Amino acid sequence: EPEVTQTPSHQVTQMGQEVILRCVPISNHLYFYWYRQILGQKVEFLVSFYNNEISEKSEIFDDQFSVERPDGSNFTLKIRSTKLEDSAMYFCASSVFTGTYEQYFGPGTRLTVT
Amino acid sequence: AQTVTQSQPEMSVQEAETVTLSCTYDTSENNYYLFWYKQPPSRQMILVIRQEAYKQQNATENRFSVNFQKAAKSFSLKISDSQLGDTAMYFCAFISGNAGNMLTFGGGTRLMVKP
C-alpha cells in the first residue's frame, strides 16, 4: 500500500542553523501539507501546497519557514534559522482532491533544537 | 474559526471491552468532514474513520464506529472488543468542505487498553 515517507526520522540541530525536512508524498496525490506537534500538545497545521504554490498557511508559518517541491516526488520544509521553540515532531501529509479530504500522514521527523 | 475539543485527556479500558471517546466541535459551516486519527507510541498518525457531515448514517470501520450528532456538534468514537494494539493517542479532527484544506485537531485522548 502506498505511503508517505519522511527523512530523517530524527534531526538534531543547533539554534540558528538551517534545517530541511524531506517528504515523499503518495505518488498520485495533488495536495501536500506540513503539520507540527510540540511534545504533549495538539497537532497544528503549518501549510498546504498545491500546483507548486502555497494554498494556505497558518500564523505559525512565518518568514522563517518555506516549502518547496524541487522535483516530481519530494516535498520539503525549510526552517532558515531554528529556534529552541521549533523543537517538535513535524508531519508531512498528502491527499487526493477527490472531495473526501482524507489526508495521509508520514511517520514524522523529530526535530530537536539545542 | 473552527475548534475541536476532546474533554477526556486519558481513558483506560479492559481488553475485549467497549470504550467511547468524546469529541465536540464548533463551526458555523454546514459542509465539513470529521475524522478520528490514531497515534500509537511510534508517533505516526493513522486514519481510523471518516464521517461526512451531509450523511446521517454513522460511519463504521470494523470495530470502530462513530456517533455523529450534527445538531449537538458531537462526534464520538466507539471502539468495540478493545485490543492491546488499540493503546494510543486518539485525535478528533475537522476539515471544512467549503474552503481551505487544513485539518483542525482536538487535544487528544490517551487510551490505555489493559490486559
Side-chain angles (χ1 to χ4, degrees):
Chain A
E1 186 174 333
E3 57 183 22
V4 177
T5 60
Q6 290 185 242
T7 55
S9 57
H10 190 192
Q11 173 94 45
V12 180
T13 189
Q14 288 189 328
M15 194 167 52
Q17 296 295 306
E18 175 183 286
V19 294
I20 297 176
L21 310 183
R22 291 183 168 80
C23 168
V24 178
I26 295 173
S27 61
N28 64 334
H29 285 189
L30 302 177
Y31 283 81
F32 314 115
Y33 314 85
W34 284 101
Y35 292 83
R36 81 171 185 191
Q37 184 183 30
I38 295 171
L39 187 64
Q41 299 186 22
K42 64 171 66 176
V43 179
E44 301 172 292
F45 170 80
L46 291 178
V47 65
S48 61
F49 191 85
Y50 170 70
N51 199 26
N52 283 320
E53 61 183 28
I54 290 173
S55 52
E56 193 170 7
K57 62 181 181 179
S58 71
E59 293 178 351
I60 303 169
F61 193 86
D62 60 22
D63 292 343
Q64 295 283 21
F65 292 89
S66 62
V67 290
E68 189 180 29
R69 189 156 163 83
D71 53 42
S73 58
N74 288 285
F75 178 52
T76 62
L77 173 69
K78 181 192 292 186
I79 309 174
R80 289 191 182 81
S81 178
T82 50
K83 305 171 197 164
L84 294 176
E85 53 265 36
D86 293 328
S87 294
M89 195 77 164
Y90 288 81
F91 292 102
C92 174
S94 68
S95 67
V96 177
F97 185 59
T98 63
T100 63
Y101 298 89
E102 290 178 13
Q103 295 182 19
Y104 294 87
F105 283 74
T109 292
R110 182 184 302 278
L111 177 65
T112 302
V113 183
T114 61
Chain B
Q2 291 82 18
T3 59
V4 179
T5 303
Q6 295 179 246
S7 60
Q8 305 150 316
E10 292 187 1
M11 293 191 71
S12 63
V13 63
Q14 291 297 130
E15 194 175 8
E17 292 189 349
T18 295
V19 64
T20 299
L21 309 183
S22 301
C23 172
T24 57
Y25 58 94
D26 188 24
T27 183
S28 58
E29 298 187 20
N30 197 44
N31 180 25
Y32 52 87
Y33 297 78
L34 296 162
F35 304 88
W36 278 98
Y37 280 87
K38 170 185 177 181
Q39 188 182 43
S42 64
R43 303 293 301 273
Q44 180 151 11
M45 300 284 287
I46 301 166
L47 179 64
V48 174
I49 199 163
R50 178 188 83 242
Q51 175 77 44
E52 294 88 343
Y54 62 85
K55 288 188 177 178
Q56 291 186 335
Q57 187 173 4
N58 290 322
T60 299
E61 286 288 339
N62 300 315
R63 298 182 295 107
F64 299 88
S65 61
V66 299
N67 183 4
F68 174 49
Q69 301 290 326
K70 191 172 183 178
K73 295 180 182 173
S74 170
F75 181 61
S76 61
L77 175 70
K78 185 171 82 170
I79 305 174
S80 304
D81 186 25
S82 297
Q83 300 175 0
L84 295 178
D86 295 334
T87 292
M89 281 289 286
Y90 286 82
F91 292 96
C92 179
F94 170 103
I95 195 167
S96 167
N98 295 325
N101 38 44
M102 56 176 276
L103 279 166
T104 300
F105 285 87
T109 295
R110 185 179 303 279
L111 176 67
M112 172 74 72
V113 179
K114 298 179 178 179

